[in-house]
Amino acid sequence: MTLPAVALIPRTAPALGVGATAGPVPDAGHRHHALRENTDGKEGREAGHSAAFTGPGCPLPPSDELFDLATRADFHRWEAQLANTGNCASPIRLLGRINATDRATGQTRVMYDTDSEPGQVLLIGCGNRREHICPACSQVYKNDARQIIRSGLTGGKGMPETVTAHPCVFVTLTAPGFGPVHTTRTSRRGRQLPCRPRRDAHQRRCPHGRDISCPRTHRPDDPRLGQPLCPDCYDYAGHVLFNAFAPELWRRFTIYLPRQLARLLGITQKQLRQQVRVRFVKVAEYQVRGVVHYHAVVRLDGPGDDCQPPPAQYTATLLTQAIRQAAAVVSCETATLLTQAILRALPPSLRDTPPPPVIDPALRRILQFGTQIDTRVIRPTADGLPGTGKALSAQAVANYIAKYATKTISAPGLPDRPLRGPKAIDALTCAQHYKRLISTCWDLSKHPQTAQLALNRWTHMLGYRGHFLTKSRRYSVTFTQLRQARITHRRQQRHPDGEKDPWRRDLDERTVLLAASWRYAGTGYTTSGERQLALATAARAREHERIAREEIWTN
Ligand SMILES: [Zn+2]
Ligand SMILES: [Zn+2]
Ligand SMILES: [Zn+2]
């Protein structure tokens, strides 16, 4: 792999814990691309990575291992590399060098070589977003997510502060029901209600003869929550198909929303586009029953890319109305989507005269969001909290959403990578309900009409194939911009007088040509002392950061 010369060298210890996945050299897009398998936790994570050192619960290293590490001649350099990875728990080890060629003379000199590094490798952050795999990298991601969400609500990071006054709504779009499950319910006044009380005896039996009533008031940690009252009544295929097509449902929602706005104002879509832009950021989250739902911030801006306020007739009330209407009408038919997927997979020569596939009735569903559409206006001075029914403050929303940005399914016994087959699924220790969802994903991947969805690769996600955070392009700052800002910042710290080339001149790419080559050498630390120190440093950094953040917010 060759890297662009811009990503060179700024090897500087970052401020404690403040974003340092952006390692010195192979950063940004390249790192992501090359290491996709690792960040998704799919494969290769353990490539060079001793199983004994995985997981925060690994045994404390013998103290002489730590002692050996601390007394190594290159310990300070190792420590600096650790800081550069953001104290990553399982960094990528790279071998390679960067050469500089003088464009005038053609002379080439080495600018950087991993030979000079501890262990002859360069460490870069794994970038994994899952907290239990890398607490440090997932924290960087979470902080970035929070910044992205917040700057779109309150300004900053290149966003005008006037954005605070734009009409802005926090919306939660849930999935519909797939069969009765144990649940918590609250009355309008906030009182806890029983799960499924059914006084009428014949309402209590399902066609399988099971009692589908439940008089209990479940506590929030009750393991029965989200589990179906009758698994045979439960629509597992519908549930998995909903997860699989939820991103499509959301996409359609974002198309319908401007249409509804135009309709409410009695104008055409073209006229609408001359007056406003609809921008959003959304996160996906699993409900305890294992179905995804979406939380989103939807904001109205004026036309153009500079995020100016929209005309006065565009109010938060109008936006709320349009959101509710769009969410209520949006739908997709699985038969159509599956047919399209089958046709797309055909070779081009066959695509023009396709025999129209008849989709199995057992796979036909009309997918829609659930009827419980929650909308809450976001105001700069509001004091509501999620769940209180009041208007929400921008700060509360940013925190609330960021919390979900790194969280996936936290149910015990669920794997963090795809399962390899029915045997592996059988061996799981999770709740029967999740097991059935996982088997359904597996079975659907073997059905000729749903094989295109490749749900065998998404068993561990219960069929959800989308991203956990998405946003419209101009909602606010991007992950890449935040990462680039970190690199620039560290580079400036490291080279207060500017970077030099191997001839001790100011580095100028018009004068020298930089060429880098890197080779993957493994993942993770090579000794348990190194790993333990990385985890401890990361935990300390997070604590510093948490305190700093609280101080900022409470002042
Ligand atoms: Zn990491
Ligand atoms: Zn119940
Ligand atoms: Zn039943």
Side-chain angles (χ1 to χ4, degrees):
M1 123 175 110
T2 314
L3 286 150
V6 257
L8 284 190
I9 308 298
R11 46 206 56 260
T12 313
L16 265 189
V18 180
T21 21
V25 185
D27 191 74
H30 285 265
R31 182 173 57 87
H32 257 93
H33 180 71
L35 306 167
R36 181 55 53 83
E37 292 89 338
N38 294 303
T39 50
D40 287 354
K42 268 185 274 177
E43 52 197 303
R45 194 171 69 81
E46 278 131 348
H49 184 161
S50 162
F53 305 149
T54 53
C58 70
L60 261 171
S63 57
D64 44 344
E65 283 216 36
L66 267 184
F67 182 78
D68 286 349
L69 174 64
T71 50
R72 258 161 47 176
D74 56 9
F75 178 67
H76 287 295
R77 179 58 207 143
W78 181 85
E79 215 180 17
Q81 276 214 29
L82 171 70
N84 258 332
T85 68
N87 307 312
C88 174
S90 182
I92 316 300
R93 303 195 303 272
L94 291 180
L95 292 168
R97 61 160 56 171
I98 298 158
N99 286 331
T101 304
D102 190 307
R103 289 179 194 261
T105 65
Q107 194 190 14
T108 294
R109 286 189 186 175
V110 175
M111 183 137 167
Y112 168 76
D113 195 322
T114 50
D115 267 351
S116 61
E117 297 287 4
Q120 286 79 54
V121 287
L122 175 69
L123 301 178
I124 61 167
C126 70
N128 202 302
R129 295 168 186 187
R130 291 175 186 231
E131 198 172 330
H132 67 279
I133 292 177
C134 184
C137 292
S138 82
Q139 186 64 40
V140 170
Y141 174 74
K142 203 183 272 188
N143 288 350
D144 283 0
R146 191 182 284 116
Q147 295 237 30
I148 285 171
I149 295 154
R150 203 148 64 108
S151 58
L153 290 167
T154 59
K157 299 275 160 197
M159 291 292 291
E161 266 167 36
T162 48
V163 79
T164 313
H166 292 202
C168 200
V169 171
F170 181 67
V171 56
T172 301
L173 298 174
T174 54
F178 300 98
V181 295
H182 291 284
T183 185
T184 52
R185 296 189 306 133
T186 37
S187 70
R188 262 192 213 138
R189 291 195 190 140
R191 203 165 55 81
Q192 288 283 313
L193 298 175
C195 175
R196 279 180 66 83
R198 295 285 184 275
R199 283 194 196 89
D200 201 344
H202 70 260
Q203 272 192 358
R204 290 170 48 173
R205 295 282 157 197
C206 78
H208 307 95
R210 290 199 179 93
D211 186 351
I212 49 163
S213 71
C214 174
R216 294 179 199 92
T217 304
H218 297 290
R219 294 159 56 104
D221 57 350
D222 191 327
R224 281 172 295 204
L225 283 176
Q227 311 297 308
L229 286 120
C230 172
D232 296 318
C233 283
Y234 197 83
D235 179 12
Y236 282 97
H239 178 140
V240 166
L241 288 170
F242 182 90
N243 278 354
F245 288 122
E248 173 62 17
L249 208 50
W250 170 264
R251 191 186 69 86
R252 293 186 184 196
F253 170 74
T254 63
I255 295 169
Y256 286 17
L257 181 53
R259 282 187 202 163
Q260 294 295 340
L261 269 178
R263 215 177 51 88
L264 285 169
L265 289 167
I267 58 175
T268 64
Q269 286 205 67
K270 194 176 166 194
Q271 288 168 322
L272 184 89
R273 274 193 70 76
Q274 286 162 353
Q275 295 173 1
V276 281
R277 290 286 181 279
V278 181
R279 291 186 171 125
F280 70 85
V281 60
K282 80 155 206 303
V283 292
E285 187 210 350
Y286 286 94
Q287 286 178 320
V288 65
R289 59 184 163 136
V291 73
V292 282
H293 69 179
Y294 289 131
H295 299 291
V297 171
V298 184
R299 187 185 74 210
L300 292 181
D301 295 348
D305 285 346
D306 52 355
C307 301
Q308 291 305 303
Q313 71 266 35
Y314 291 93
T315 60
T317 314
L318 178 82
L319 177 59
T320 303
Q321 226 180 329
I323 288 173
R324 298 191 76 89
Q325 289 176 359
V329 298
V330 67
S331 73
C332 23
E333 268 183 80
T334 55
T336 318
L337 295 170
L338 292 173
T339 309
Q340 285 167 356
I342 293 168
L343 293 180
R344 264 200 308 272
L346 287 176
S349 55
L350 288 177
R351 226 172 275 165
D352 294 336
T353 53
V358 179
I359 298 297
D360 184 347
L363 299 173
R364 288 169 178 261
R365 300 286 187 287
I366 292 170
L367 302 176
Q368 283 187 295
F369 287 120
T371 46
Q372 283 186 320
I373 300 160
D374 186 59
T375 49
R376 226 83 69 72
V377 173
I378 303 171
R379 296 190 206 288
T381 53
D383 57 357
L385 288 167
T388 58
K390 292 185 199 161
L392 296 171
S393 79
Q395 189 64 66
V397 170
N399 289 341
Y400 187 61
I401 291 197
K403 205 172 85 191
Y404 293 111
T406 57
K407 200 177 108 175
T408 45
I409 323 170
S410 52
L414 275 179
D416 57 23
R417 59 192 66 201
L419 289 133
R420 281 155 200 256
K423 259 192 194 160
I425 298 171
D426 262 358
L428 287 175
T429 53
C430 63
Q432 206 55 35
H433 176 59
Y434 298 130
K435 242 185 200 184
R436 265 209 58 189
L437 286 167
I438 291 173
S439 308
T440 308
C441 289
W442 183 265
D443 294 345
L444 288 176
S445 74
K446 301 298 160 204
H447 190 295
Q449 292 185 333
T450 40
Q452 324 297 337
L453 306 178
L455 292 176
N456 53 323
R457 282 163 47 199
W458 306 98
T459 45
H460 61 308
M461 306 305 269
L462 310 180
Y464 182 63
R465 303 172 298 160
H467 293 285
F468 281 88
L469 187 148
T470 54
K471 60 185 198 65
S472 37
R473 199 165 52 89
R474 297 270 174 202
Y475 170 76
S476 69
V477 67
T478 66
F479 279 107
T480 312
Q481 285 166 340
L482 291 175
R483 203 156 51 219
Q484 202 55 50
R486 274 197 293 273
I487 297 177
T488 311
H489 174 71
R490 255 182 278 145
R491 210 186 249 188
Q492 281 164 355
Q493 278 192 329
R494 171 76 179 162
H495 307 281
D497 307 321
E499 282 178 74
K500 305 289 178 203
D501 69 16
W503 294 269
R504 306 302 309 153
R505 301 172 299 199
D506 286 341
L507 180 64
D508 182 346
E509 290 183 49
R510 287 165 300 184
T511 322
V512 291
L513 179 73
L514 297 173
S517 63
W518 302 106
R519 206 152 49 74
Y520 174 70
T523 306
Y525 292 102
T526 44
T527 73
S528 65
E530 288 181 350
R531 182 178 156 82
Q532 211 58 37
L533 195 58
L535 284 172
T537 315
R540 205 166 52 234
R542 277 197 305 286
E543 184 58 18
H544 275 285
E545 212 173 290
R546 191 185 58 76
I547 293 167
R549 201 164 52 229
E550 275 169 10
E551 278 169 2
I552 291 167
W553 289 349
T554 48
N555 284 332

